[in-house]
């Protein structure tokens, strides 16, 4: 079963509303050209989300957030909820990015609850998992990653494979310029898919999209996208310039064309 690839931008803590407007205006027509082959998401700071969500409404581009809290309202100073994100046009949300886990102390349990709440609210969560350099060097990559994946799927219960996206992001490759080799990406992502097959069955494993993230750029995207189990990318640095993000969308589009031939 062919999965629709996804190219997702993660702007992190970058761009003013005006910069976001310019970027989105330039991106929309370009993403429309790839609409049939690639799902495009742009996960922006909350201050830009309302405007990007408005501009992208009814377009091929899915506006998204980078985080949220799993309660719907209440005394949670500084947080926003799933209904609030939907209210400003978000269709996707990144959950459990390693920067949230490392800098802001998010636990596996919080990540799993956020993933569950996003699915219930009809927001597509891009759930990030990945190991540190020390964990990889000590041979502990799979223990870490499989544990993170398991905690999420236990919490999700009967959600279908199409209602979530995983992103395998080795922490040592994020923002460092050091990309995992295409083989490393395939190895981890293939194992995640096998684990999902064992625990959730064929339908789930065949429909769930698993992205790679960590220093993806136009120069290395084609090789990574060509891997059998890699369904796209979550991109930080190289998504900040619209031209380089568009090149990544093309790389995903070409990867589709190559599998079809
Ligand atoms: P990077 O970030 O592409 O800048 O490495 C990826 C991410 O953190 O999602």
């Amino acid at each position: 079963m062919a999965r629709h690839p996804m190219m997702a931008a993660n702007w992190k803590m970058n761009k003013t509303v005006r910069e976001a407007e310019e970027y989105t205006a330039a991106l929309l027509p370009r993403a429309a050209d790839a609409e049939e082959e690639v799902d495009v998401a742009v996960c922006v700071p909350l201050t830009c989300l309302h405007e990007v969500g408005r501009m992208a409404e009814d377009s091929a581009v899915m506006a998204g957030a980078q985080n949220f809290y799993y309660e719907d309202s209440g005394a949670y100073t500084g947080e926003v909820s799933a209904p609030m994100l939907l209210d400003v046009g978000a269709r996707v949300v990144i959950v459990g990015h390693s920067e949230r886990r490392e800098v802001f102390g998010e636990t596996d349990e919080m990540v799993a609850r956020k993933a569950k709440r996003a699915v219930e609210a009809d927001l597509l969560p891009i759930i990030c998992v990945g190991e540190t350099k020390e964990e990889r060097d000590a041979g502990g990559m799979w223990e870490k990653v499989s544990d993170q994946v398991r905690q999420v799927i236990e919490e999700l219960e009967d959600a279908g494979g199409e209602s979530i996206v995983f992103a395998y992001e080795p922490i040592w490759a994020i923002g460092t310029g050091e990309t995992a080799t295409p083989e490393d990406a395939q190895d981890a992502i293939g194992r995640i898919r096998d684990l999902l097959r064992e625990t959730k069955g064929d339908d789930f494993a065949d429909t769930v999209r698993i992205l790679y993230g960590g220093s993806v750029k136009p120069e290395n995207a084609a090789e990574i996208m060509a891997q059998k189990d890699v369904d796209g990318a979550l991109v930080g640095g190289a998504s900040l310039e619209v031209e380089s993000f568009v090149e990544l969308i093309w790389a995903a589009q070409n990867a589709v064309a190559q599998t079809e031939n």
Side-chain angles (χ1 to χ4, degrees), residues 10 12 97 99 169 173-176 213-216 234-238:
N10 174 11
K12 307 194 179 181
H97 190 281
E99 288 150 17
E169 298 208 312
I174 295 178
T176 57
S215 298
V216 173
L234 178 58
V235 189

Coordinates of all heavy atoms in Angstrom, one line a residue, residues 10 12 97 99 169 173-176 213-216 234-238, ligand 1:
N10 N 9.6 22.7 10.4 CA 9.6 23.0 11.8 C 10.4 24.3 11.9 O 11.6 24.3 11.9 CB 10.2 21.9 12.6 CG 10.3 22.3 14.1 OD1 9.8 23.3 14.5 ND2 11.1 21.4 14.8
K12 N 10.7 26.2 14.4 CA 11.2 26.4 15.8 C 10.9 27.8 16.2 O 9.9 28.3 15.8 CB 12.7 26.0 15.9 CG 12.9 24.6 15.3 CD 14.3 24.0 15.7 CE 14.4 22.6 15.1 NZ 15.6 21.9 15.4
H97 N 9.0 16.8 20.4 CA 10.3 17.1 19.8 C 11.4 17.0 20.9 O 11.2 17.3 22.0 CB 10.2 18.5 19.2 CG 11.4 18.8 18.4 ND1 12.6 19.1 18.9 CD2 11.6 18.7 17.0 CE1 13.5 19.3 17.9 NE2 12.9 19.0 16.8
E99 N 13.8 18.8 21.6 CA 14.0 20.1 22.3 C 13.0 20.3 23.4 O 13.3 20.8 24.4 CB 14.1 21.3 21.3 CG 15.3 21.2 20.4 CD 15.2 21.7 19.0 OE1 14.3 22.5 18.7 OE2 16.1 21.4 18.2
E169 N 14.0 11.1 14.8 CA 14.9 12.2 14.7 C 16.1 11.9 15.7 O 16.0 12.2 16.9 CB 14.3 13.5 15.2 CG 13.2 14.0 14.2 CD 13.0 15.5 14.3 OE1 13.0 16.1 15.4 OE2 13.0 16.1 13.2
A173 N 21.7 14.4 15.3 CA 21.7 14.9 13.9 C 20.9 16.2 13.8 O 20.8 16.7 12.7 CB 21.1 13.8 13.0
I174 N 20.2 16.6 14.9 CA 19.4 17.8 14.8 C 20.2 19.1 14.9 O 20.9 19.3 15.9 CB 18.3 17.7 15.9 CG1 17.4 16.5 15.7 CG2 17.5 19.0 15.9 CD1 16.3 16.4 16.7
G175 N 20.1 19.8 13.8 CA 20.8 21.1 13.8 C 22.3 21.1 13.8 O 22.9 22.1 14.0
T176 N 22.9 19.9 13.6 CA 24.3 19.8 13.7 C 25.0 19.7 12.4 O 26.2 19.7 12.3 CB 24.6 18.4 14.5 OG1 24.1 17.4 13.7 CG2 24.1 18.4 15.9
G213 N 14.1 13.0 10.5 CA 14.4 14.4 10.7 C 15.8 14.5 11.3 O 16.2 13.6 12.1
G214 N 16.5 15.5 11.0 CA 17.9 15.8 11.5 C 18.8 16.2 10.3 O 19.2 15.3 9.5
S215 N 19.0 17.5 10.1 CA 19.9 18.0 9.1 C 19.5 17.6 7.7 O 20.4 17.4 6.9 CB 21.3 17.7 9.4 OG 21.7 18.3 10.7
V216 N 18.2 17.5 7.4 CA 17.8 17.2 6.1 C 17.9 18.5 5.3 O 17.6 19.6 5.8 CB 16.3 16.7 6.0 CG1 15.8 16.6 4.6 CG2 16.2 15.4 6.7
L234 N 10.9 15.8 8.5 CA 10.6 16.9 9.4 C 11.9 17.7 9.4 O 13.0 17.2 9.7 CB 10.3 16.4 10.8 CG 10.0 17.5 11.8 CD1 8.8 18.4 11.4 CD2 9.7 16.8 13.2
V235 N 11.8 19.0 8.9 CA 12.9 19.8 8.6 C 13.0 21.1 9.4 O 12.0 21.8 9.3 CB 12.9 20.1 7.1 CG1 14.3 20.7 6.7 CG2 12.6 18.9 6.2
G236 N 14.1 21.3 10.1 CA 14.3 22.5 10.8 C 15.0 23.6 9.9 O 14.4 24.3 9.1
G237 N 16.3 23.7 10.1 CA 17.1 24.7 9.4 C 16.8 24.9 7.9 O 16.6 26.1 7.5
A238 N 16.7 23.9 7.2 CA 16.5 24.0 5.7 C 15.1 24.3 5.3 O 14.8 24.5 4.2 CB 17.0 22.7 5.0
Ligands
LIG1 P1 17.2 20.3 11.6 O1 16.0 20.1 12.6 O2 16.6 20.0 10.2 O3 17.6 21.8 11.7 O4 18.3 19.4 12.0 C1 15.1 19.1 12.5 C2 14.1 19.1 13.7 O5 14.5 19.5 14.8 O6 12.9 18.8 13.5

